[in-house]
Amino acid sequence: MTKAMSREDFQQALLDKGQYYHIHHPFHIAMYAGKCTKEQIRAWVANRFYYQTSIPVKDAAIMANCRDPDIRRDWVQRILDHDGHKSLDCKWGGIEAWLQLAEAVGLNRQDVIDEKWVLPGVRFAVDAYVNFARRATWQEAACSSLTELFAPQIHQSRLDSWPTHYPWIDTEGLTYFRQRLSQARRDVEHGLAITLDHFTSVEGQARALNILQFKLDILWSMLDAISMAYEFNRPPYVGITDQPVWHHSLER
C-alpha cells in the first residue's frame, strides 16, 4: 500500500477483518448448532468471565492514558456498563449479568468469581490484551476494541440458538447478550470514529489493521484453549494429573 486509503475504504478494510472473528471458530459453530455438552458450555462461561472482568480494567487503562476529557466522558460509559451503576437503565451491569448466566448454566457463583476454572491459555490471552491497553497510546488501545464491529451478530446468534438447543439454561440468564446488542452498537460508533480520525497515513492504517488482527487473535486463542481442554480432552498437564493445578492470578 503506497497511498493512504480513503475514510470509506479504510472503514471497509476494518470491516473485512470480520472474516476472522471468533464467531467462525469451530467451537462457536458447534455451540450454535447445539452440539456443545453441558460441560463445554459451562467451561466457556467460566473462562469467558475472566475476559468480562478484564474489560473495565482495559477501559480504565485507556482512560488513564488519555488527556482528552471529552473522550474520557464518553469512554467511561463502558466501565459503568460492565461494573454497573445506579444511573443505568439495564437490570444489572455486565459482570453481574454474566454471573447470572453462570448460575443459569449450573455453575457455582463463587467458583466463577474465584476464577477456579480459568485456563492458563485464556488467562495469558486476556492479560496480553489488558497489558497492550496499558502500554499503547489511547488511540491504539481504542482501535483494539473494534471487534465490537462484529459483536451484535454473535450476541444475537446466542439469543437465537441457545433457547432451542439448550433448553436446560434458564432464559433469564441470557440478559447479558440482550444488553450488549445495543451497548456494542453504541460503543463501536465511538471507537470507529476515533480510529478513522486518527489513523490517516499509510503506516497508521496498516498499524490499525494489525492492532485489530491482534484483538481477533486474542479472542480466537481463548477458544483454542477451551477447545483443547474440553473438546479434545487435552487440558494442561494431561497425562500427568487430572487436577487443575495451573496457576491462578498472581496479582495481590
Side-chain angles (χ1 to χ4, degrees):
M1 187 168 61
T2 59
K3 181 181 178 182
M5 289 178 276
S6 67
R7 189 179 181 90
E8 292 74 20
D9 288 345
F10 181 33
Q11 179 170 333
Q12 187 59 53
L14 293 166
L15 289 169
D16 288 345
K17 285 290 187 179
Q19 64 185 305
Y20 307 116
Y21 192 48
H22 63 163
I23 195 172
H24 304 298
H25 192 283
F27 189 89
H28 264 320
I29 292 173
M31 182 187 292
Y32 304 138
K35 296 180 179 179
C36 282
T37 65
K38 289 185 178 181
E39 182 187 33
Q40 289 168 345
I41 293 289
R42 289 167 181 160
W44 177 77
V45 171
N47 276 271
R48 179 80 181 191
F49 181 73
Y50 187 66
Y51 178 81
Q52 301 305 136
T53 57
S54 296
I55 291 174
V57 177
K58 175 267 299 182
D59 287 325
I62 293 175
M63 292 178 61
N65 290 331
C66 178
R67 304 288 297 180
D68 187 331
D70 291 332
I71 297 294
R72 294 198 303 267
R73 271 190 289 270
D74 285 337
W75 206 272
V76 74
Q77 184 63 50
R78 298 167 183 249
I79 296 177
L80 300 180
D81 285 343
H82 280 85
D83 286 346
H85 192 270
K86 61 183 180 181
S87 65
L88 299 180
D89 293 331
C90 55
K91 188 174 182 180
W92 303 303
I95 292 174
E96 176 57 30
W98 199 270
L99 287 170
Q100 296 288 332
L101 171 64
E103 292 180 318
V105 302
L107 288 166
N108 178 275
R109 180 187 182 94
Q110 193 59 49
D111 284 348
V112 176
I113 293 172
D114 291 342
E115 303 167 5
K116 182 176 180 179
W117 307 113
V118 178
L119 294 162
V122 170
R123 191 179 297 277
F124 294 150
V126 174
D127 287 352
Y129 182 36
V130 173
N131 288 330
F132 172 79
R134 287 171 174 156
R135 298 193 312 268
T137 67
W138 68 265
Q139 296 96 334
E140 289 178 330
C143 174
S144 72
S145 73
L146 286 185
T147 47
E148 293 165 339
L149 284 164
F150 323 116
Q153 180 186 1
I154 207 168
H155 296 315
Q156 189 63 58
S157 295
R158 292 162 187 157
L159 291 169
D160 290 343
S161 64
W162 280 31
T164 299
H165 296 309
Y166 310 110
W168 52 274
I169 301 175
D170 186 348
T171 55
E172 279 294 308
L174 306 183
T175 296
Y176 177 86
F177 306 135
R178 298 187 191 97
Q179 290 178 177
R180 288 304 297 168
L181 284 174
S182 59
Q183 291 172 351
R185 292 188 181 98
R186 179 206 62 212
D187 290 348
V188 77
E189 290 178 5
H190 187 216
L192 182 59
I194 290 171
T195 299
L196 296 176
D197 289 343
H198 181 74
F199 297 96
T200 57
S201 67
V202 172
E203 297 78 13
Q205 290 174 346
R207 171 71 172 162
L209 290 167
N210 194 44
I211 289 170
L212 180 52
Q213 184 61 56
F214 161 74
K215 176 60 182 307
L216 291 163
D217 293 347
I218 295 292
L219 297 173
W220 198 275
S221 295
M222 290 170 60
L223 285 179
D224 280 347
I226 296 169
S227 290
M228 285 295 291
Y230 292 96
E231 185 178 5
F232 298 104
N233 299 314
R234 292 181 62 185
Y237 308 107
V238 64
I240 299 174
T241 178
D242 59 359
Q243 299 300 310
V245 298
W246 48 85
H247 78 288
H248 289 210
S249 175
L250 299 179
E251 295 185 2
R252 296 184 184 275

